[in-house]
Amino acid sequence: MAMMLDESEASDAELIGRAKGGHRGAFGTLLERHYDFVYRAAYRWCGKKADAEDIAQEVCVRLGKAIRDYRGGGAFTTWLYSVTLNAARDMMRKTARDMAKTEAYGVHALISGAASVEPEDPAEALWAAVRRLPDKQRDAVLLVYGEGLSHAAAAEAMAISETTVSWHIHEAKKRLKTLMRTAGEV
């Protein structure tokens, strides 16, 4: 009981250190503490509950090995967001490959969600438009506006400069304005 109380009150840095050493309880506590963050980031990235759950589960699996590579130079959540984005991109690429294979073999019955219903909630319509942005612009918007990170923290998560994040945000705003205007939202 004392160990469980100790783990639940331990800082992320302490839990990471223990998890790197192979302590399963510390790793479990770390996952439990940050699972909602991972799921939320995945959902904002893909916009589908089932896909977000798959991405979050993939991140949990990847963390088992990846936690050893965490250096602690920045916030754990910034690093975790990078792992989540990579898992989401990998899933998108896998889905695209699977769809190409399906179409190549003429099996069109597996196409799902092709006739998506336009969201009625203006905020959801905006996030749907964000998901249509080019990768770097989408990631910058999700980090800065979806997760509330500073441009510097977003730059660290995306492994680019802070000014490049600002440029991606600027370009995304211009593109979103056009996307929303053509959708009749602005």
Side-chain angles (χ1 to χ4, degrees):
M1 185 68 163
M3 186 60 144
M4 287 197 43
L5 201 81
D6 184 42
E7 285 179 10
S8 67
E9 294 177 1
S11 70
D12 282 353
E14 293 169 332
L15 291 173
I16 291 165
R18 290 183 203 160
K20 282 182 171 186
H23 191 280
R24 291 180 183 197
F27 182 75
T29 301
L30 197 61
L31 279 179
E32 190 175 312
R33 188 177 287 175
H34 294 285
Y35 183 84
D36 289 342
F37 169 79
V38 170
Y39 174 80
R40 186 177 64 245
Y43 182 79
R44 284 203 177 112
W45 197 89
C46 68
K48 296 178 183 171
K49 183 180 180 201
D51 289 348
E53 289 169 351
D54 289 346
I55 292 167
Q57 289 302 311
E58 178 63 22
V59 168
C60 291
V61 170
R62 288 181 183 192
L63 280 180
K65 289 182 181 177
I67 194 76
R68 294 181 202 127
D69 297 331
Y70 176 68
R71 301 285 180 243
F76 178 68
T77 52
T78 301
W79 177 81
L80 186 57
Y81 195 88
S82 296
V83 173
T84 304
L85 283 180
N86 287 335
R89 287 184 189 120
D90 290 347
M91 189 185 105
M92 181 183 71
R93 283 190 289 269
K94 181 185 181 306
T95 301
R97 281 192 308 267
D98 291 346
M99 290 298 287
K101 287 178 188 176
T102 300
E103 290 174 11
Y105 291 109
V107 182
H108 298 287
L110 296 177
I111 298 175
S112 64
S116 63
V117 179
E118 287 295 317
E120 292 182 24
D121 180 17
E124 186 53 40
L126 178 61
W127 285 113
V130 167
R131 286 187 283 277
R132 292 175 35 207
L133 292 171
D135 289 349
K136 295 287 187 179
Q137 290 177 16
R138 179 190 55 234
D139 295 349
V141 169
L142 289 173
L143 286 167
V144 172
Y145 294 107
E147 296 303 321
L149 296 181
S150 67
H151 285 216
E156 184 180 334
M158 295 174 69
I160 58 177
S161 73
E162 187 174 345
T163 54
T164 304
V165 168
S166 298
W167 181 82
H168 283 306
I169 293 287
H170 174 73
E171 291 300 310
K173 285 179 180 179
K174 290 191 316 190
R175 191 171 296 222
L176 282 171
K177 188 179 263 187
T178 303
L179 286 171
M180 298 302 285
R181 195 173 284 136
T182 58
E185 295 293 330
V186 176

